[in-house]
Amino acid sequence: CIRDSIGCERKEGISMEYRKFGDKYVVRLDKGEEIVYSLLKLCAWKDIKVAQVTGIGAVGEVTAGLFDTEKKEFISHTWTGDMEITALTGNITTKEQKPYEHLHITVAGRDGMARGGHLKRAVVSATAELFLTAADGTVEREMSDEIGLNLMKF
């Protein structure tokens, strides 16, 4: 259902709700929704090709890590339990004309210890509040054999 600047998507197991203000989207995800998947779906549905992303919320499962520059591969860790998202930031670009995310997350659990890295997956345990600022245009990514990552191509 879409009414004026209020939107809700109930497709493919996603029940996110959002509101659009000019070039900005304010998004709410509910318990059980996966952040990366939901974000990429919204970008595909709304034809968002370039955007800045920020967010906060609560998650029960997170997979994040870092890129090992020597081995040219990601080392991922998965954490479970009640965690607050203390920072979620990144961007949306495209790869092969499809939305492509580059997100980093920091979460803190009951012990107050922070964990984080390059976000691969995060399942919402209460709610997540995301803000996307879209821009006109496209920035495509291309694999760099030298670095081993999909780099922005200008």
Side-chain angles (χ1 to χ4, degrees):
C1 62
I2 299 175
R3 293 183 313 274
D4 300 322
S5 63
I6 300 172
C8 63
E9 299 295 343
R10 303 211 188 284
K11 306 179 206 174
E12 303 174 39
I14 298 174
S15 63
M16 77 174 77
E17 292 192 37
Y18 63 88
R19 184 170 283 178
K20 185 174 189 270
F21 301 94
D23 62 352
K24 294 173 179 39
Y25 289 80
V26 179
V27 180
R28 189 192 80 223
L29 298 179
D30 294 327
K31 183 176 181 174
E33 293 186 276
E34 199 284 313
I35 293 173
V36 176
Y37 178 80
S38 299
L39 182 60
L40 289 175
K41 284 298 182 182
L42 177 66
C43 290
W45 294 331
K46 299 301 172 190
D47 200 30
I48 299 170
K49 297 185 183 311
V50 178
Q52 178 183 9
V53 179
T54 61
I56 56 175
V59 292
E61 180 182 335
V62 174
T63 301
L66 66 90
F67 184 73
D68 183 321
T69 56
E70 229 174 79
K71 294 180 181 178
K72 297 183 180 179
E73 65 185 25
F74 278 96
I75 299 169
S76 295
H77 302 279
T78 298
W79 301 287
T80 59
D82 290 333
M83 294 170 279
E84 289 288 332
I85 299 171
T86 60
L88 172 62
T89 187
N91 61 62
I92 300 294
T93 53
T94 58
K95 184 171 187 293
E96 299 172 1
Q97 293 83 47
K98 294 180 182 168
Y100 183 93
E101 89 292 342
H102 185 182
L103 303 171
H104 288 197
I105 194 168
T106 304
V107 296
R110 291 179 187 270
D111 59 4
M113 299 298 296
R115 296 167 176 84
H118 179 89
L119 179 61
K120 294 290 189 183
R121 183 170 191 275
V123 179
V124 176
S125 62
T127 190
E129 301 170 351
L130 307 176
F131 286 68
L132 280 76
T133 302
D136 290 332
T138 301
V139 174
E140 184 75 8
R141 288 190 179 258
E142 186 176 88
M143 175 56 77
S144 165
D145 292 332
E146 176 188 351
I147 304 296
L149 291 169
N150 295 308
L151 302 180
M152 289 184 200
K153 181 181 169 185
F154 298 99

